């Protein structure tokens, strides 16, 4: 008797049929973690010149089991960074161009009637991949944007009362242009809270831009990228980073930072408990990338703005003609300076 293959089962079958890379099944240790992450960073940096912080942030989002929002002006490499990261992993990758006519079913999938079997069969949407590139996410309607909420938080989608598990690892890399507001829909607070990090690419320096003119006139740098790790190895690296030690004093420090955003007079909406949890997860990955098995205060303060800023909403009375983002940035600087930093010792 024929059996219907669910999307998650099909994903497992695809991974089982994929030949393993040498050393893919070897136990992961600190040296192999450093070697694999170094290969990923070096590969992506071949495409994204002069932006090591942006490349590292993308890797942190992947290994911390979060999602990445890249917000910047057109033409600075937002989509290129997402595609370069996807090209370094031997996994399923889908790119979704968000437009006003995009429907939720295009993302999650739909049930289609099979006249032969005389029953409805689920056809997976574009979200069923290890890495999903949501290009210009703010160009689709709020209804379509909301179709990603369950997927980003619970790593599953529910269609017609049936739940379908997404493959692991799972990462959404979304891009948006904060300046061109014509025909766009601002991301609601619940959507922004699903993103672990929000970063900006910024313009390249003169030397990097001149090098780009020489190297990319006739060759697309993405064509030369090959996968350096498998999805299975990424899952092992995620587990390794999750085991990085966080001292209780540092946990209390993170909670104090989050609570300070909720009581700050210039902030109307403070950091959520999800933000607190994700800051710790991101700090663990940053420590692991630095070759440490323990988190230090610098890991937390370096990630405070990328993790918290896009979740906060400034009070209108505090703006005084300034943009809300500037108010939030100033508030986070004052919070970081006022909250006592613990002296955590090495475990």
């Amino acid at each position: 008797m024929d059996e219907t293959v669910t999307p998650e089962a099909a994903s497992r079958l695809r991974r089982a049929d994929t030949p393993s890379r040498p050393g893919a099944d070897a136990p992961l240790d600190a040296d192999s973690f450093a070697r694999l992450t170094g290969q990923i960073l070096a590969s992506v940096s071949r495409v994204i010149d002069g932006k090591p912080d942006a490349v590292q942030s993308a890797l942190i989002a992947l290994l911390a089991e979060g999602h990445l929002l890249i917000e910047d002006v057109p033409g600075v490499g937002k989509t290129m960074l997402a595609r370069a990261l996807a090209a370094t992993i031997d996994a399923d990758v889908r790119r979704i161009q968000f437009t006003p006519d995009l429907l939720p079913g295009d993302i999650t999938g739909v049930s289609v009637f099979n006249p032969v079997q005389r029953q409805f069969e689920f056809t997976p949407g574009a979200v069923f991949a290890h890495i999903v590139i949501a290009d210009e996410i703010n160009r689709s309607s709020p209804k379509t944007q909301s179709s990603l909420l369950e997927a980003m938080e619970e790593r599953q989608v529910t269609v017609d009362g049936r739940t379908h598990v997404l493959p692991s690892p799972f990462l959404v890399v979304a891009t948006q242009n904060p300046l061109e507001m014509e025909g766009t829909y601002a991301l609601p607070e619940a959507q922004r809270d699903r993103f672990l990090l929000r970063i900006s690419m910024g313009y390249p320096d003169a030397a990097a831009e001149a090098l780009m003119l020489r190297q990319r006139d006739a060759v697309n740098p993405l064509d030369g990228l090959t996968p350096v790790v498998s999805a299975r190895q990424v899952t092992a690296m995620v587990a390794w980073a999750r085991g990085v030690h966080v001292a209780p004093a540092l946990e209390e420090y993170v909670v104090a930072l989050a609570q300070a955003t909720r009581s700050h007079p210039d902030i109307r909406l403070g950091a959520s408990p999800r933000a607190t949890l994700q800051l710790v997860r991101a700090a663990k990955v940053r420590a692991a990338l630095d070759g440490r098995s323990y988190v230090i205060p610098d890991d937390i303060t370096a990630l405070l703005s990328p993790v918290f800023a896009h979740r906060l909403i400034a009070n209108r009375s505090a703006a005084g003609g300034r943009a809300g983002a500037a108010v939030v940035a100033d508030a986070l600087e004052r919070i970081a300076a006022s909250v006592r930093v613990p002296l955590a010792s090495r475990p």
Side-chain angles (χ1 to χ4, degrees):
M1 181 176 66
D2 293 338
E3 295 183 355
T4 302
V5 179
T6 62
E8 56 270 22
S11 179
R12 289 195 297 268
L13 288 173
R14 286 195 299 271
R15 293 197 297 272
D17 292 339
T18 303
S20 299
R21 294 178 173 274
D25 296 323
L28 194 67
D29 54 22
D31 292 337
S32 56
F33 182 93
R35 174 178 55 82
L36 292 174
T37 54
Q39 290 175 352
I40 296 174
L41 292 172
S43 181
V44 178
S45 296
R46 289 168 50 193
V47 177
I48 308 300
D49 299 317
K51 297 295 179 183
D53 292 340
V55 175
Q56 185 185 67
S57 295
L59 184 57
I60 288 175
L62 174 66
L63 299 183
E65 297 183 287
H67 307 287
L68 179 66
L69 177 62
I70 309 176
E71 184 178 276
D72 215 323
V73 298
V76 294
K78 300 186 300 295
T79 305
M80 186 71 75
L81 172 59
R83 294 179 62 190
L85 178 64
T88 62
I89 301 173
D90 188 11
D92 297 332
V93 179
R94 300 281 182 87
R95 179 179 179 271
I96 308 173
Q97 182 64 53
F98 279 69
T99 56
D101 59 346
L102 189 71
L103 298 176
D106 298 328
I107 297 175
T108 60
V110 295
S111 295
V112 179
F113 184 74
N114 185 333
V116 177
Q117 300 292 334
R118 293 184 176 274
Q119 62 182 4
F120 283 92
E121 296 179 352
F122 178 67
T123 301
V127 77
F128 282 87
H130 294 100
I131 297 181
V132 177
I133 303 173
D135 209 6
E136 295 185 297
I137 188 173
N138 58 335
R139 291 200 174 277
S140 64
S141 67
K143 180 179 180 180
T144 301
Q145 292 177 14
S146 65
S147 64
L148 283 172
L149 291 176
E150 181 185 13
M152 294 174 67
E153 177 63 18
E154 303 178 36
R155 299 174 184 270
Q156 64 182 31
V157 296
T158 302
V159 178
D160 294 336
R162 294 190 59 187
T163 298
H164 307 273
V165 180
L166 295 172
S168 180
F170 177 68
L171 169 70
V172 174
V173 181
T175 69
Q176 70 172 355
N177 175 9
L179 299 179
E180 187 180 353
M181 305 308 296
E182 190 71 25
T184 62
Y185 305 85
L187 297 181
E189 289 78 8
Q191 189 83 56
R192 294 200 304 268
D193 199 39
R194 296 305 201 272
F195 287 99
L196 169 69
L197 299 170
R198 183 190 65 181
I199 64 171
S200 296
M201 299 291 294
Y203 292 107
D205 56 37
E209 195 165 3
L211 180 63
M212 179 186 68
L213 293 177
R214 292 193 297 270
Q215 294 182 342
R216 304 186 185 183
D217 186 33
V219 179
N220 186 342
L222 287 173
D223 295 339
L225 290 186
T226 57
V228 297
V229 295
S230 65
R232 185 179 303 167
Q233 287 173 306
V234 171
T235 301
M237 286 189 287
V238 168
W240 174 263
R242 195 183 297 136
V244 171
H245 176 74
V246 183
L250 286 180
E251 294 175 340
E252 295 172 1
Y253 177 54
V254 173
V255 172
L257 290 170
Q259 289 182 337
T261 66
R262 300 164 192 165
S263 59
H264 197 283
D266 293 345
I267 297 178
R268 177 163 57 93
L269 177 66
S272 67
R274 180 188 289 118
T276 309
L277 176 63
Q278 292 191 341
L279 179 56
V280 172
R281 288 178 177 174
K284 287 183 176 184
V285 176
R286 187 180 187 275
L289 292 178
D290 199 34
R292 286 179 280 106
S293 61
Y294 55 93
V295 173
I296 61 176
D298 286 349
D299 296 322
I300 296 170
T301 55
L303 293 166
L304 181 63
S305 181
V307 175
F308 275 11
H310 62 287
R311 308 169 192 266
L312 309 182
I313 298 180
N315 279 322
R316 294 182 180 178
S317 59
R322 296 183 299 164
V327 175
V328 168
D330 290 344
L332 285 176
E333 287 184 6
R334 291 197 296 271
I335 288 173
S338 61
V339 177
R340 187 182 67 85
V341 179
L343 299 177
S345 60
R346 181 172 178 175

